[in-house]
Amino acid sequence: MVAAGLPADADPTMPGPTAPDLRIDGRPATGGWLFHRGNTADGGVRFTWIGRTGEAGRRAVGLAVGTDKGARDPLPAAPAGLLSITDYLSGYAAIGDRIGLVRQLVESAPSVLHVKGHEAFEALRIEALRTILAEATQQSPATLFTLPGNMKLALIGEPSEPVEAVAVLDAGRVTRSPFRPVGFTVNGRRQTALLVPAGGRAVAALLGRHSIVSVRLGRAVSRQGPGDLSALLRGQPGWGADLIRYLLTVLAPYASGQPEIAGLLDELAALMPPTPVPAPVADGAPAVSLSTAFAAPGGSLVVTGTLHDPDGLIARLEWTAGGAMTVAIDRAALLCTPSPGPASGHRLGFVATAAVPSAAQRFRQHRFDVVLRSGARVETVAPPVPSGSAAARDVLLRFLHEHPADDRLFARLQPLVAELHAAHLARPRIAEDLAVGELPPDPPVTVVIPLYRTLTFLRHQAIAFALDPAMREAEVILVLDSPEQRDELLAILDGLGATYGFSARVLVHSANLGYAPAVNTGAAAARAPKLVRMNSDVVPADDRWLPALLRRFRRSRRVGAAGPKLLYGDDSLQHAGLTFARDREGRYYNTHFYKGYPRNYPEARRARAVPALTGACLMLDTAVYRSLGGMCEDYVVGDFEDSDLSLRLAAEGLRLWYEPAAELYHYERESIVRNASYTDTAACRYNQYIHTTRWKSQLQRVINLNLRLSSSVAMGRG
């Protein structure tokens, strides 16, 4: 391997060296080489080559000094064990050049030349670091905080320039600190924070371009623990936030399997003070206004906002993490859409994603630099991170609701929304399992009713069940998806039980999880062979509905599900089977046969197989329902999961039957309109996108069949 490179402080206009013929004890340095270039006191150029021989078991490391002219001739290099590094360092006039050579020895050479653990070379590195420490331009005391994981945080006072590298000399060995230091200002004074290994009498060399700060970590001004650090950071909105971001970033990789570090990180995140969000700038200036920024569970940073850049002056956004890391998001990576409203002008809504370290999961607020093509920077900050996965999911759905959203935006955001939605559902679901009244011992039918916010129709529903002979042996399971209503629900049920003898099993969810999870919770607890899914705003018209649905399973073959006739309060038809259609933008949606027609419209009085059935009231075999995995929980809040289930049943070769002899009233969408996750977001459009993407070919086949049937009827062939 041949390796060569310029040090960070090298002048790119100076001529580079040609490949040298390095000889160490007469043997060629075929194992690789690198070099350092600098100026001598008389204005000349000096190169120091570091090379290694390639023989296994006889590897040697050597240094040689020369000029570019002499590089083509054989160049003898002194072996590491026989040279004095002082002679090589003293040949450079400027301290910055001497620092550069030490950085090559300490940082680059061990990995480039594969000489970690080489005894003579390690001795050379120790000598080099001790020599450069003798030239330290500053001796700085440190305040040390002992942290979990055998680490310490050193706060070091006022370095003269930014620190670019840190080398630690401890117990006779040199290590390059894996932690990047961060600088910040406290009361007008510059400070540097650095994580260092705990223990020992180590000396840290903080290397800048032209200066060295020597820090004797064994001689700290004070030694304190994690609690003292928390007390120090509490209430420090400026530098405290910078230091917290630094610690979150550098400690996060060590949190896995170390609960003390994880606990410290959670405590630090809680101490992060909020930063005011900047006001929008005046029209004309390039600007980015952030709506949200948060780290999704899978590790992606998600950013949304508005962009005003009619002249293309913005080059990129840079996410910053307390000086410990930056992540660039190029202007071209922003997926833009026009902002709504007549005053939007040249403003564009945008969404962007970028991979960030795991530490970003704990940030309560994210900072960015807006970098212009000129190199100028403007700092901006996003609002505080949404609290919880559901809130983050809704922020993205709200963005889709507020901006013209095409399939590009849905395709970009769908995996993120799905990830956040799944994270919200990944929790213990049942907070309480209660029995109200005496439950039937061996029920033939289980009726599962999800409840969310609206309990208005529960009394009518329960009274109808209590007076229905066919329901006396049925099991009723109520799944409360708004757990804050637990006491209100139990009070209603106690009254219904005392007055009408109504009994039910009540499963209280731990949080609002949505319609499909609520139905699946109830179905998992069902004890009967037949399962009825019923909305809380559905009330039987008479006591014939349940026997009629059961008869349909006995009369027809391969019945996957049976659905009743559903009526509005004015006796017009709400549901006589589902089918599908396309809007002008090519999106597929569910539609009801004969919706709004009279109750006794002839076609709605005929039992028949249909493409799909509404989930408002639906009977299935419990075993079939469970074998399909229940209702698909990918849909947010509610919508399209009923037609998704219908299409999955049809894909299994099962038929979906509309049964008009079963009649119930449906006071449609009384619960879903109370859910802000649905009404204030694009949840319906998002669900439609999933449904269309998943079932497009099947939906189109149904539409084509409907068109053929309509044409046949129009021509008298129906």
Side-chain angles (χ1 to χ4, degrees), residues 16 28 55 76 87 89 215 241 265 268 286 319 346 361 399 435 451 495 502 572 582 630 679 711-712 718:
E55 307 97 321
D87 297 335
L89 291 171
V215 183
L265 292 177
L268 291 173
W319 175 80
H346 293 285
Q361 295 280 354
F399 177 84
L451 299 171
F502 177 73
S572 63
R582 290 180 69 185
T679 57
S711 177
S712 298

Side-chain angles (χ1 to χ4, degrees), residues 648-671:
R648 283 189 286 139
L649 287 165
E652 295 294 321
L654 300 173
R655 305 183 75 189
L656 304 149
W657 276 89
Y658 162 66
E659 178 49 67
E663 292 186 328
L664 302 94
Y665 288 97
H666 184 200
Y667 301 94
E668 193 176 22
R669 307 183 82 76
E670 289 292 331
S671 293

Side-chain angles (χ1 to χ4, degrees), residues 36-126:
H36 175 69
R37 177 179 61 192
N39 296 323
T40 60
D42 59 4
V45 178
R46 175 187 177 94
F47 293 94
T48 298
W49 281 273
I50 310 167
R52 174 180 68 78
T53 61
E55 307 97 321
R58 298 182 60 206
R59 288 182 176 175
V61 182
L63 271 67
V65 175
T67 65
D68 192 29
K69 289 182 179 179
R72 296 180 183 276
D73 302 323
L75 187 63
L82 301 177
L83 60 83
S84 171
I85 192 62
T86 305
D87 297 335
Y88 291 84
L89 291 171
S90 61
Y92 292 102
I95 188 172
D97 289 334
R98 296 193 288 278
I99 292 172
L101 178 55
V102 171
R103 288 186 63 183
Q104 288 278 40
L105 292 167
V106 170
E107 295 183 299
S108 305
S111 57
V112 171
L113 301 180
H114 300 286
V115 289
K116 292 181 180 179
H118 188 284
E119 185 176 345
F121 182 68
E122 287 301 311
L124 180 68
R125 295 172 72 222
I126 292 171

Side-chain angles (χ1 to χ4, degrees), residues 30 39 44 53 90 121 132 148 162 180 182 196 226 289 371 382 437 466 469 532 580 607 613 617 622 626 640 691:
T30 56
N39 296 323
T53 61
S90 61
F121 182 68
I132 205 72
R180 178 179 173 181
V182 62
V196 294
S289 178
V371 184
V532 173
F580 308 105
L613 293 164
C617 184
T622 304
R626 290 172 177 169
F640 293 96
H691 191 256

Side-chain angles (χ1 to χ4, degrees), residues 22-378:
L22 282 181
R23 302 283 175 149
I24 304 171
D25 284 340
R27 291 177 287 151
T30 56
W33 60 273
L34 38 70
F35 73 93
H36 175 69
R37 177 179 61 192
N39 296 323
T40 60
D42 59 4
V45 178
R46 175 187 177 94
F47 293 94
T48 298
W49 281 273
I50 310 167
R52 174 180 68 78
T53 61
E55 307 97 321
R58 298 182 60 206
R59 288 182 176 175
V61 182
L63 271 67
V65 175
T67 65
D68 192 29
K69 289 182 179 179
R72 296 180 183 276
D73 302 323
L75 187 63
L82 301 177
L83 60 83
S84 171
I85 192 62
T86 305
D87 297 335
Y88 291 84
L89 291 171
S90 61
Y92 292 102
I95 188 172
D97 289 334
R98 296 193 288 278
I99 292 172
L101 178 55
V102 171
R103 288 186 63 183
Q104 288 278 40
L105 292 167
V106 170
E107 295 183 299
S108 305
S111 57
V112 171
L113 301 180
H114 300 286
V115 289
K116 292 181 180 179
H118 188 284
E119 185 176 345
F121 182 68
E122 287 301 311
L124 180 68
R125 295 172 72 222
I126 292 171
E127 182 189 356
L129 191 57
R130 284 175 173 164
T131 301
I132 205 72
L133 280 169
E135 296 191 66
T137 54
Q138 183 179 347
Q139 302 282 338
S140 182
T143 299
L144 291 180
F145 294 88
T146 301
L147 303 180
N150 200 35
M151 286 180 281
K152 292 180 180 178
L153 172 69
L155 298 184
I156 303 158
E158 205 165 9
S160 58
E161 65 173 349
V163 177
E164 295 193 349
V166 178
V168 178
L169 180 61
D170 186 21
R173 63 190 184 94
V174 175
T175 57
R176 179 189 177 190
S177 173
F179 306 112
R180 178 179 173 181
V182 62
F184 52 92
T185 302
V186 182
N187 299 326
R189 298 183 61 190
R190 291 290 299 167
Q191 298 273 334
T192 292
L194 174 67
L195 277 180
V196 294
R201 300 179 60 81
V203 177
L206 280 57
L207 305 176
R209 282 181 176 265
H210 307 288
S211 65
I212 308 151
V213 178
S214 173
V215 183
R216 294 191 174 275
L217 300 175
R219 299 180 183 176
V221 172
S222 63
R223 298 173 183 273
Q224 304 177 56
D228 301 305
L229 176 62
S230 298
L232 174 69
L233 295 174
R234 199 179 303 276
Q236 300 291 343
W239 64 268
D242 290 338
L243 185 52
I244 289 172
R245 286 189 182 90
Y246 169 74
L247 291 170
L248 291 176
T249 303
V250 298
L251 285 176
Y254 300 88
S256 179
Q258 298 196 53
E260 289 186 347
I261 293 182
L264 174 62
L265 292 177
D266 290 338
E267 182 179 346
L268 291 173
L271 291 174
M272 179 76 78
T275 302
V277 178
V281 300
D283 287 342
V288 171
S289 178
L290 300 176
S291 303
T292 189
F294 61 87
S300 292
L301 178 71
V302 184
V303 190
T304 68
T306 56
L307 172 74
H308 182 258
D309 186 27
D311 299 316
L313 300 179
I314 294 175
R316 63 186 180 276
L317 293 179
E318 284 188 1
W319 175 80
T320 61
M325 178 177 288
T326 61
V327 174
I329 306 173
D330 289 338
R331 168 68 174 81
L334 305 181
L335 184 57
C336 296
T337 181
S339 285
S344 61
H346 293 285
R347 296 185 184 277
L348 300 173
F350 75 86
V351 60
T353 57
V356 290
S358 59
Q361 295 280 354
R362 289 185 164 87
F363 284 18
R364 302 298 177 90
Q365 211 167 0
H366 292 273
R367 291 185 179 183
F368 296 81
D369 284 342
V370 181
V371 184
L372 305 184
R373 291 187 311 179
S374 66
R377 292 172 175 267
V378 179

